[in-house]
Amino acid sequence: MKKSFFSFALAFVATISGTTAFAQCDCGATQSSVMVAGNPVVESSGCGGCAPQTTTKTIMVPQQVMETQMVTVTKMQQETRTREVTVMKSVPRQETRTRTVTKSVPRQVTKTQTYTEMVAQQETQDYTVQVPVTTQVAQEYTVNVPRTESIEVPYTVQVPVTTQVEVPYTVCVPYTETATRTFTVNVPYTEMVEQSYTVCVPYTETKTQEYSVNVPYTEEVEQSYQVSVPYTETMTGTKTVCQRVPVTQYRTVSKDMGSYQCVTEEVQASSCGGGCNSGCGCSQTVSKRVWVPNVVCEQVPYTTYTTEQVEQPYTYEVTKTRNETRTRMVPVQKCRTETRTRSYEVTKTRQETRTRQVPVQRCRQEQRTQEYQVTKTRSEERTRTENRTSYTTEQRKRTQQVCKMVAETRTRMVPQTTMTTETRQRTVTKMVPVQKTREYTVTECDQVQEEVSYTVTVVDQVPETKTETYTVCVPVQVEKEVQVCKTIMVPQTVEVPVSSGCGQAVGSGCSGGCGQAVSTGCGC
């Protein structure tokens, strides 16, 4: 935008200052033509008595000026504030509780089981078998026997024959000729053409504008919020407690109340004076201790424990919360709309039509001639010798072996199989189910309940008041310097000729000699 404005300003200054053109007078002096307010004014130098008079004129020239202005700006500034907030704090504490645990006590139990077992049993069984019997049987068959014979077969052969033949042919022989051709050439030249163009001349206007501004302000608003307040409540419940009760029972125990007793036995002596075979009847008496058993059964008492479930009351505390509604003042940012007025300058442009001489490139057509070489060909008849091959048909004979098949009848022995039925015996094993009984030991578990204590961490909610710091954006009015680009009209003094110096007014025409306008074309 600034670049286009400067170009408009330069065009405006050029318009005010004028356009100068030079021409050569007959007296050897130089004349200059100046455009003043759209009218040509001729200045000459070197002509005796033709010096023009000038006058001083003040014109207004636009100029760009940077100006500093103070503008009120609303700036958001951060401000730190404090407020009290109620926070629920978790306080842990250790609590010992009891719980009933069921344990499994294993014991060995002997049980009897009836099962079925498959026993193998041998049995004789008759079955029928098809037995093959093979016999030799005579069979007649026909065979094709090959026989070879020699025969004569006629055939035709193509025999080649070569001859020399004179063949004419045509050859193209090249030669060169000189030819002339005419062509058209575009010759460029420059021509000055008068062209009209439009110039935008800038000018400045001051306007007033109304605009709306949102001015922020802070307002305290009452706000309701919910708070959970904890409290403790004592409750009563019952729990099942397992107690161990002693029970006296009896069982039968077998004891061996036997003792050692002395027993006298008569045994044969190992040797005597004349040997045992002498018939003297040697024997001896031996005493020995023998254990005599005496099994006695008696009832022996023993104590077992039985588990009984008993309902037992107990109390416990439960932490509950109730909702309470509270109010607090909360700052709320709001805005009000204000209408303000400001002045600003608008730069506008007006269009002016001007003329100028513009060089234009054009072309004229000219005819020219040129000599060039052309290659042509002429036809010539020539002859050459070629070999031509022709074929002659001849009949010939050749001997060929031919194989023919002759049928013969022959006899051969072929084995023939027939099936004969026979009865045989075989031993078959069958599985017969048999009921049997067996004893096995099973481990069974008795469920025993037991009281076990354990530690639990209980968290109590305790309200606590804390001071919280928070940041609020507060609007602040600030004066700020702003650089504004402004266009002002500056007076400028220029010299303008007012007469020709030859007794004629500027631009009055041509009365001979100097002092004539260049545009009249009368002698200058």
Side-chain angles (χ1 to χ4, degrees):
M1 180 66 186
K2 289 184 177 180
K3 187 175 180 181
S4 61
F5 178 76
F6 283 132
S7 63
F8 294 153
L10 291 175
F12 179 73
V13 172
T15 305
I16 298 299
S17 299
T19 305
T20 303
F22 296 94
Q24 187 70 28
C25 295
D26 293 336
C27 57
T30 303
Q31 292 182 345
S32 62
S33 176
V34 181
M35 298 294 294
V36 178
N39 298 319
V41 178
V42 179
E43 295 180 1
S44 64
S45 61
C47 285
C50 292
Q53 296 181 1
T54 60
T55 182
T56 302
K57 186 177 180 180
T58 302
I59 61 174
M60 302 302 291
V61 180
Q63 183 177 355
Q64 297 287 333
V65 178
M66 300 301 294
E67 184 179 2
T68 303
Q69 295 183 1
M70 299 300 292
V71 180
T72 302
V73 180
T74 302
K75 185 179 180 181
M76 302 304 291
Q77 183 177 356
Q78 291 187 352
E79 182 178 322
T80 303
R81 300 181 182 179
T82 58
R83 60 186 175 191
E84 292 186 354
V85 180
T86 302
V87 182
M88 302 304 295
K89 184 178 180 182
S90 299
V91 179
R93 58 183 177 83
Q94 299 293 328
E95 182 177 328
T96 303
R97 298 180 181 178
T98 60
R99 60 185 173 188
T100 303
V101 179
T102 303
K103 293 184 178 180
S104 298
V105 179
R107 59 186 177 86
Q108 300 292 329
V109 178
T110 302
K111 294 186 178 181
T112 303
Q113 181 186 15
T114 301
Y115 66 97
T116 302
E117 184 177 350
M118 303 302 290
V119 179
Q121 185 177 354
Q122 300 291 330
E123 184 178 306
T124 303
Q125 184 180 10
D126 294 336
Y127 66 98
T128 303
V129 180
Q130 296 288 333
V131 179
V133 177
T134 303
T135 57
Q136 295 293 328
V137 179
Q139 182 185 17
E140 291 184 355
Y141 64 98
T142 303
V143 180
N144 290 323
V145 180
R147 290 182 183 178
T148 304
E149 295 180 359
S150 297
I151 60 174
E152 288 188 355
V153 179
Y155 65 96
T156 303
V157 179
Q158 296 288 333
V159 179
V161 178
T162 304
T163 57
Q164 298 288 332
V165 180
E166 291 287 335
V167 179
Y169 67 96
T170 304
V171 179
C172 291
V173 180
Y175 66 95
T176 305
E177 289 184 0
T178 302
T180 304
R181 61 185 173 187
T182 303
F183 61 95
T184 303
V185 180
N186 289 327
V187 180
Y189 68 95
T190 305
E191 183 179 344
M192 301 300 292
V193 179
E194 184 173 324
Q195 181 186 18
S196 298
Y197 66 97
T198 303
V199 179
C200 292
V201 180
Y203 65 96
T204 305
E205 288 185 4
T206 302
K207 291 188 177 182
T208 303
Q209 179 187 15
E210 291 186 356
Y211 64 98
S212 299
V213 180
N214 289 326
V215 181
Y217 66 96
T218 304
E219 183 178 343
E220 295 289 335
V221 179
E222 185 174 343
Q223 182 186 23
S224 300
Y225 63 99
Q226 297 287 333
V227 179
S228 296
V229 180
Y231 66 95
T232 304
E233 183 177 340
T234 302
M235 304 186 71
T236 303
T238 58
K239 59 182 177 180
T240 303
V241 180
C242 294
Q243 295 181 354
R244 303 284 289 174
V245 179
V247 177
T248 301
Q249 296 183 0
Y250 293 89
R251 58 186 171 188
T252 304
V253 178
S254 298
K255 293 184 179 180
D256 192 356
M257 305 296 292
S259 60
Y260 286 98
Q261 297 180 7
C262 291
V263 178
T264 302
E265 292 182 358
E266 186 174 332
V267 298
Q268 188 177 2
S270 59
S271 63
C272 59
C276 293
N277 295 326
S278 58
C280 61
C282 297
S283 63
Q284 62 180 0
T285 302
V286 179
S287 297
K288 62 180 179 179
R289 296 187 65 186
V290 180
W291 175 264
V292 179
N294 183 15
V295 179
V296 179
C297 294
E298 60 181 22
Q299 297 290 326
V300 178
Y302 67 96
T303 302
T304 61
Y305 287 87
T306 304
T307 303
E308 294 182 357
Q309 294 184 354
V310 179
E311 295 292 333
Q312 183 178 354
Y314 71 100
T315 59
Y316 61 96
E317 293 183 352
V318 179
T319 302
K320 297 183 179 180
T321 58
R322 64 170 65 93
N323 292 328
E324 293 185 2
T325 303
R326 300 182 181 179
T327 58
R328 60 185 174 188
M329 301 302 292
V330 179
V332 178
Q333 290 287 336
K334 295 184 177 181
C335 293
R336 65 171 66 92
T337 303
E338 294 183 1
T339 303
R340 299 181 182 180
T341 306
R342 61 184 174 189
S343 299
Y344 64 97
E345 292 184 353
V346 180
T347 301
K348 297 184 178 180
T349 58
R350 63 174 66 90
Q351 293 186 354
E352 293 183 2
T353 303
R354 301 178 183 179
T355 59
R356 60 186 174 189
Q357 295 290 326
V358 179
V360 179
Q361 290 287 336
R362 295 183 178 179
C363 294
R364 65 172 66 91
Q365 291 186 352
E366 294 182 0
Q367 297 289 331
R368 298 184 183 181
T369 60
Q370 181 185 9
E371 291 185 354
Y372 64 98
Q373 298 293 325
V374 179
T375 301
K376 296 183 179 180
T377 59
R378 64 171 66 92
S379 299
E380 293 184 0
E381 293 292 335
R382 298 182 183 180
T383 59
R384 62 186 173 192
T385 303
E386 294 183 357
N387 292 325
R388 297 287 178 89
T389 302
S390 60
Y391 290 88
T392 304
T393 304
E394 292 184 1
Q395 294 291 332
R396 297 182 183 180
K397 292 183 179 182
R398 61 185 173 191
T399 303
Q400 184 176 354
Q401 299 291 328
V402 178
C403 182
K404 294 183 179 180
M405 305 301 291
V406 179
E408 290 184 2
T409 302
R410 297 181 182 180
T411 304
R412 62 183 174 187
M413 300 302 292
V414 179
Q416 184 178 3
T417 303
T418 57
M419 304 302 291
T420 303
T421 302
E422 292 184 1
T423 301
R424 298 181 183 180
Q425 289 186 348
R426 61 185 174 188
T427 303
V428 180
T429 302
K430 291 185 178 181
M431 303 302 291
V432 180
V434 178
Q435 296 291 332
K436 293 185 178 181
T437 304
R438 62 183 174 187
E439 292 184 353
Y440 63 97
T441 303
V442 180
T443 302
E444 294 184 355
C445 294
D446 295 334
Q447 300 295 325
V448 179
Q449 293 186 347
E450 184 178 336
E451 290 289 334
V452 179
S453 60
Y454 64 98
T455 303
V456 180
T457 302
V458 182
V459 178
D460 296 334
Q461 300 293 327
V462 179
E464 182 180 352
T465 303
K466 289 187 178 181
T467 302
E468 182 183 30
T469 303
Y470 63 99
T471 304
V472 181
C473 290
V474 180
V476 179
Q477 300 290 333
V478 179
E479 295 290 333
K480 185 178 179 181
E481 292 184 356
V482 179
Q483 297 291 328
V484 180
C485 183
K486 196 173 183 181
T487 303
I488 61 175
M489 304 301 290
V490 180
Q492 184 176 352
T493 304
V494 296
E495 290 184 357
V496 180
V498 295
S499 65
S500 63
C502 296
Q504 295 178 352
V506 177
S508 61
C510 182
S511 59
C514 301
Q516 296 175 355
V518 178
S519 60
T520 60
C522 53
C524 291

